[in-house]
Amino acid sequence: MPVRQSYNVGTAASPGRLLTMPAWERGKALGAKLVTVFPKSGASGLPPFPRFTCCSTATGRPRAMIDGETLTNRKRDFLRTMTPALLTDGLRIEGGI
């Protein structure tokens, strides 16, 4: 998969970045995680805004949008639950929890 890309999308008054993380398996799955990071928003109590969009591999049209924080939390919870069993079976998990 391609590495995460980062783009400067803000202004001098409101600096910001857009992070893109595409993922696909040709003909089977297509999606992208997008994260917007505006540091001045954080000072107002607003966190970065991540989301994941799943698209049709036939048409490219969006099929689902998933809140990125929810997705990250579910992945973390899955790995915490399954890591001992996976390690017992001799599998190695890259990237940690």
Side-chain angles (χ1 to χ4, degrees):
M1 287 297 113
V3 297
R4 175 177 60 196
Q5 298 293 311
S6 177
Y7 303 95
N8 181 358
V9 296
T11 64
S14 181
R17 302 216 50 91
L18 170 66
L19 309 175
T20 63
M21 293 156 268
W24 67 88
E25 184 174 348
R26 194 173 306 278
K28 293 184 180 181
L30 173 63
K33 183 176 181 182
L34 302 174
V35 180
T36 53
V37 181
F38 285 76
K40 288 187 176 183
S41 294
S44 301
L46 297 172
F49 183 66
R51 60 237 171 248
F52 189 85
T53 303
C54 299
C55 300
S56 165
T57 58
T59 65
R61 294 185 64 155
R63 298 178 74 177
M65 293 184 82
I66 304 166
D67 173 70
E69 186 174 351
T70 299
L71 188 62
T72 297
N73 290 341
R74 289 185 179 176
K75 175 185 167 190
R76 184 196 61 230
D77 293 343
F78 170 80
L79 289 174
R80 281 189 180 150
T81 302
M82 295 304 298
T83 296
L86 294 172
L87 293 176
T88 299
D89 289 340
L91 297 176
R92 189 171 138 211
I93 297 177
E94 305 247 349
I97 296 176

